[in-house]
Amino acid sequence: MSRGRWDYQPALDTVNHWITERPRAVILAFLLVTGLFAGGLANIQFDAGTDAFTDDVPEQQALDRVDQEFEPAFDDDETTTQLLQRGENVLSRDGVLRMLELQYRIERNPDMRVVEATSPARGVAQVLDPNAETLEAQIYAVEGATEAEVRAAARTLVEENPAITRSLSDDFNEREMHASATIGVVTHQIPEGGDDTEREIQRQVESTADGVGGDVIVFGGGIFDAEFEAALVDSLSIMVPAVGLLILLFLIVAYRDPVDLILGLVSLFMAVIWTFGFTGIAGIPFNQMMVAVPPLLLAVGIDFGIHAVNRYREERIAGEGIHDGMTAASNQLLVAFFIVTGTTAIGFGANMASDLGPIQEFGFVASVGIAFTFLIFGVFMPAAKVFLDDLREGTRFPEFSNEPLGSEESTLGKILPLGAVAGRKAPIAMLLLLLVATAGMGVLATDVETRFDDEDFLPYEEMPVYIDVIPEPLGPGEYTVTEAVNFLGDNFETGEDDEVTVYAEGPLRQPYALESIHRAGADPPPTFVADGDRAVARSVVTVMQEYAEEDPEFAALLAENDVSGNGVPDRNLEEIYDALLSSPVREEALNYVSEDLDATRVIYSVEADAGQEPVTRDARDVAGDYRLEATATGNIVVFQALTELILESAIVSLAIALAVTGVFLVVVYDVLERRASLGIANLVPIVVTVVFLAGTMPLLDIPFNALTATILSITIGIGVAYSVHITHRFIDEYNQNPDVYAALLTTLRGTGGGITGSMITTAGGVGSLLLAVSPMLGQFGLLMSVSVIYSYLAALIVLPPTLIVWERRFG
């Protein structure tokens, strides 16, 4: 112990005793635990989709209450399938017949469990023959009609039922009776717990549609869920072999010894089994974000493995035996690994501060995985290395290269110290130059976009060439869900994109209740569609006013209780509600007011070209004008709320990761070396890396989304490893020889070689996420690779002059 450092050597001696003297016991214990966790793999459940992100969002909870209170619901045992017919005039005789024939074939198949089938085609047929109630009869009606008669029937249908145009594409031409697409709906009865049945039925519908001909996309919840899960499985089935091949190639170069190579791969495999076996046992679902966990574990595991082998080889080259060499290597590396594990777990775990459940789970699982990785590479791998080297010592097993990466005579050994060489003469000037560059990247970082969209989670509509050329059986399957979602959004007015809802709870019987709703629509904000000086809206008030135009008795009741004279009753509201809910418009009224009169909704139309952010802001302002407890909601508002949470998550997680990592490093270096300032020096290259990465995102046109929002805190977790290894090795060398430049040269050639191998392997491993069939995962993989490269360069270029300045001030 020197300079009052904490004496942690007894703890290291105990661990080293088990590693070097009891390696078999260590190996057996780790294999038994591996078997335990392997059993948990069978319990892993897939959870695809975006529902988990919205569960705890107040705006989504309000929307759920709206759906429960006011939206007509299917029975619990029913589901629907949408038939998106396109590629022809769907209102022509042939187009109408094609939809009818498809729905007829689906209906007559008992396995399809059809309850009801609706479409504009059925409406056209019933105009031709009002007595044609069945699909078969409707087919006969259309077959017996001419082209002109079918179009005339379509015109009559649209005139009598304008709402039918919602099921026709946006290019519907009323004069020509032409539309390029339409939606037919089939309702199926599903047995309780029949999720698989739903998928089977909708796959059968797809086969039936293929048999009818034409261009029909089948879309439904079963297909949606099935393709999301298939995307996860396909991503893993493509990535795992690719990662395995890349890691194999890189580790062959790094280890240059088949025994060490196999040992490294086994250790990586164990880390993944432990982590996901734990998630299965803990009941944590596997969602899209979890696909990113294995590459992160591989990133840290590869780093640990290469450093363990490289440092051990340095001792063996210096003349140490197997046991003494591993003891010397472990004495240094276990402390470095502990620091790296702590900072990495902090970086990953900072995501647990997010308000979004899947991000919290991602941060937790990644942190647990890093702890497992530390145990496996810090204890199991050295023990196995000692055991295997003992076995082959004195045998004829061939000796392979034991040269550490970055030795002084190698080309790499001459390149690695350049940061120290450049920083030796003018370290402050070099740091100021880097500060200017970092500030410039910080300005670019302000342009990073933030968004949350269903499409972020969808597979590619058309696979990139580098994925599409992957041969069977590793290649991705066929996906239709993205095409269907995009087609619906591009060609149909769903209404949800051009409206917001205010959900209000409170005593609707109070005199001010309806007046409050009415007044909130006055002087509408700019993103709301206006009719004069009022917002275009639909509410229980509009239902009352429309019914009053039809029923003089109800009109008199309204007028009698309208003290203000503005057409809105402001007294005896319970009597008015009773009259309304006992009238012929009862069902329409219940679309806007709950039967117990405790909740209501108002649907406001918004400008189609208005942005998500201003619409949400205006909707919240209008909700704030209610005298009731009101919440702005709807898809626009929910997605904007999630966008805000994602940005908040990125900033909060980054702030927590930076602050806690900084405190951790200061405390650790104070306890271990009595040099707290070394922790701050260690943090400098990490800050540079984070800013450079954030500035690179807009250059690559990558936004903050549900997954990439975690990248900044993860960068701290991954990137700090390179700086910690350099700093910890440097201070060990500096304690032995207080010549800062000599210590840096030894460190950069020795440990620098290890982090070089780690960087190449890690960048390739995490970059394999580009092979995922989801664009969001591909963006994350690209950012991770860039992050690893930036972290490596910062450790070699930014850290040496920082340590030189540190030594001059504090050394």
Side-chain angles (χ1 to χ4, degrees), residues 562-573:
D562 179 14
V563 176
S564 61
N566 62 356
V568 180
D570 42 25
R571 69 179 182 183
N572 297 324
L573 295 191

Side-chain angles (χ1 to χ4, degrees), residues 340-385:
V340 170
T341 300
T343 52
T344 304
I346 290 168
F348 293 175
N351 289 292
M352 294 171 64
S354 172
D355 289 329
L356 299 176
I359 294 181
Q360 293 174 357
E361 292 170 350
F362 170 78
F364 176 67
V365 170
S367 297
V368 170
I370 293 308
F372 289 158
T373 303
F374 166 69
L375 292 174
I376 290 168
F377 282 89
V379 180
F380 168 79
M381 185 177 180
K385 176 65 174 168

Side-chain angles (χ1 to χ4, degrees), residues 70-398:
F70 307 114
E71 291 293 334
F74 294 105
D75 293 337
D76 291 339
D77 60 351
E78 291 183 357
T79 189
T80 61
T81 301
Q82 291 183 324
L83 309 173
L84 311 181
Q85 180 187 6
R86 61 184 185 175
E88 59 186 328
N89 179 13
V90 295
L91 295 177
S92 68
R93 181 176 178 275
D94 287 345
V96 169
L97 276 174
R98 197 181 307 281
M99 175 61 77
L100 292 174
E101 177 65 25
L102 174 55
Q103 291 188 308
Y104 173 63
R105 291 191 187 186
I106 295 170
E107 184 183 64
R108 71 177 181 178
N109 185 340
D111 293 338
M112 304 277 195
R113 300 172 176 266
V114 175
V115 175
E116 182 185 20
T118 60
S119 63
R122 297 199 71 171
V124 171
Q126 285 193 295
V127 171
L128 289 170
D129 182 0
N131 295 320
E133 298 291 337
T134 67
L135 280 162
E136 186 175 15
Q138 289 163 5
I139 291 173
Y140 288 147
V142 176
E143 286 179 336
T146 65
E147 184 71 44
E149 289 171 336
V150 170
R151 296 202 178 201
R155 182 170 288 106
T156 300
L157 174 67
V158 171
E159 290 172 354
E160 294 179 351
N161 184 15
I164 201 73
T165 58
R166 293 181 182 177
S167 297
L168 298 173
S169 53
D170 294 340
D171 63 1
F172 168 60
N173 186 316
E174 189 169 357
R175 186 173 63 85
E176 299 291 336
M177 276 299 118
H178 183 282
S180 64
T182 186
I183 302 174
V185 178
V186 180
T187 304
H188 313 270
Q189 187 175 40
I190 304 296
E192 185 176 352
D195 291 343
D196 291 339
T197 304
E198 180 183 15
R199 299 179 186 187
E200 292 169 4
I201 286 175
Q202 290 176 350
R203 290 304 186 193
Q204 287 187 61
V205 172
E206 284 186 315
S207 299
T208 304
D210 291 340
V212 171
D215 188 357
V216 178
I217 304 175
V218 178
F219 182 64
I223 291 175
F224 192 85
D225 291 343
E227 292 198 1
F228 259 115
E229 291 186 10
L232 289 178
V233 173
D234 278 353
S235 294
L236 289 172
S237 65
I238 295 171
M239 287 163 45
V240 169
V243 170
L245 181 60
L246 285 170
I247 289 176
L248 181 63
L249 292 176
F250 291 141
L251 291 186
I252 287 174
V253 175
Y255 288 142
R256 290 152 292 148
D257 184 315
V259 174
D260 291 345
L261 174 64
I262 293 171
L263 182 55
L265 292 174
V266 168
S267 299
L268 290 172
F269 189 58
M270 286 173 61
V272 174
I273 290 177
W274 281 35
T275 302
F276 287 101
F278 169 80
T279 64
I281 294 171
I284 299 172
F286 190 98
N287 54 41
Q288 289 95 329
M289 298 191 66
M290 293 299 180
V291 176
V293 173
L296 295 178
L297 299 181
L298 296 177
V300 178
I302 289 166
D303 175 77
F304 283 0
I306 290 179
H307 277 292
V309 171
N310 213 52
R311 189 69 185 87
Y312 170 70
R313 287 179 178 178
E314 286 188 58
E315 296 297 330
R316 293 300 306 277
I317 291 294
E320 295 287 353
I322 294 173
H323 293 224
D324 290 341
M326 185 58 74
T327 297
S330 293
N331 277 336
Q332 182 185 86
L333 289 176
L334 278 173
V335 176
F337 287 176
F338 170 75
I339 299 173
V340 170
T341 300
T343 52
T344 304
I346 290 168
F348 293 175
N351 289 292
M352 294 171 64
S354 172
D355 289 329
L356 299 176
I359 294 181
Q360 293 174 357
E361 292 170 350
F362 170 78
F364 176 67
V365 170
S367 297
V368 170
I370 293 308
F372 289 158
T373 303
F374 166 69
L375 292 174
I376 290 168
F377 282 89
V379 180
F380 168 79
M381 185 177 180
K385 176 65 174 168
V386 168
F387 176 73
L388 292 174
D389 280 3
D390 279 340
L391 280 182
R392 67 177 176 177
E393 189 174 42
T395 69
R396 294 186 179 181
F397 194 88

Side-chain angles (χ1 to χ4, degrees), residues 15 79 90 141 153 246 280 325 364 425 462 545 605 736 770 776 778 787:
V15 176
T79 189
V90 295
L246 285 170
F364 176 67
K425 297 181 179 179
E462 293 184 9
Q545 292 171 340
S605 297
Q736 296 176 28
L770 284 166
M776 182 171 68
S787 167

